[in-house]
Amino acid sequence: MEKSYKEFLSQITTFIFDVDGVLTDGSIQISSNGDLLRTMDIKDGYAMKYARDKGYTICIISGGKNEGVRLRLKGLGITDIYLGCPDKVEQMKEFFEVYDINPEEVLYMGDDLPDLYAMKKVGLPCCPQDAAPEIKEISRYVSHKKGGKGCVRDVIEQVLKVQGKWNDHK
């Protein structure tokens, strides 16, 4: 019998998140000068900063290139931000080598086909409630929250609670 996703939570040291459809709801607004605007959930941001402050490694790998996204994530203390990534698997491998990360200790949350192969290479592939069917099929956990609506907070909170690091204020 396959292990429940909860059995993987205690081994997670690293989080990898996609942007569009995970940190955002996947929609964009287009300004009159052509800028593409996205909305992120403040609770997702808080959870990422909290996890970072607790010593977890957080990596962002996205096909999008929005510099506003980079500024927001840098403001949360995230330094491993890879935007405009055509090959997420290759970028992830490089990230693992730099930090000597064991893929079994990684939670990757993606929502659509560009995340598929990278998600297959980690210990805990997860997705938002509104992810593509192919992504839901390979995910060990499907959040009850949609992309951009707290799904990142959901998985971070679960991992930190299991590891006794949520709400310990140390």
Side-chain angles (χ1 to χ4, degrees):
M1 184 173 175
E2 192 170 316
K3 289 168 50 169
S4 160
Y5 84 93
K6 291 186 178 201
E7 296 179 66
F8 290 89
L9 298 177
S10 63
Q11 69 190 33
I12 300 301
T13 63
T14 303
F15 297 94
I16 298 177
F17 299 109
D18 179 31
V19 175
D20 293 319
V22 173
L23 286 169
T24 76
D25 66 5
S27 65
I28 56 171
Q29 293 179 354
I30 304 167
S31 72
S32 59
N33 65 357
D35 289 336
L36 303 179
L37 308 174
R38 291 159 172 84
T39 302
M40 293 184 176
D41 189 300
I42 199 81
K43 290 178 183 167
D44 286 345
Y46 173 78
M48 287 190 295
K49 182 173 181 353
Y50 190 80
R52 182 88 179 98
D53 291 348
K54 293 292 178 184
Y56 292 84
T57 304
I58 297 181
C59 175
I60 307 298
I61 303 177
S62 176
K65 299 178 183 178
N66 188 293
E67 286 304 310
V69 168
R70 184 185 309 277
L71 288 172
R72 164 69 176 145
L73 296 170
K74 276 184 147 182
L76 298 173
I78 299 169
T79 56
D80 295 288
I81 305 166
Y82 306 99
L83 302 180
C85 257
D87 186 344
K88 292 186 178 191
V89 171
E90 200 53 46
Q91 184 60 65
M92 189 173 70
K93 282 183 188 175
E94 187 179 307
F95 170 71
F96 288 172
E97 287 175 20
V98 168
Y99 291 97
D100 193 27
I101 292 172
N102 175 351
E104 287 300 309
E105 298 174 352
V106 175
L107 181 155
Y108 187 123
M109 183 172 258
D111 73 304
D112 213 341
L113 295 178
D115 301 302
L116 184 73
Y117 295 109
M119 289 175 67
K120 286 183 172 185
K121 298 189 177 300
V122 301
L124 187 52
C126 299
C127 69
Q129 185 268 324
D130 56 346
E134 296 87 350
I135 298 301
K136 285 182 171 182
E137 188 177 307
I138 64 153
S139 291
R140 287 202 163 109
Y141 175 69
V142 177
S143 176
H144 63 284
K145 303 277 190 174
K146 292 182 178 183
K149 305 293 183 189
C151 63
V152 169
R153 164 80 176 244
D154 175 33
V155 293
I156 290 174
E157 189 173 329
Q158 286 191 60
V159 168
L160 272 65
K161 279 182 175 177
V162 163
Q163 295 183 16
K165 296 180 181 177
W166 186 258
N167 200 22
D168 66 1
H169 300 290
K170 293 179 186 170

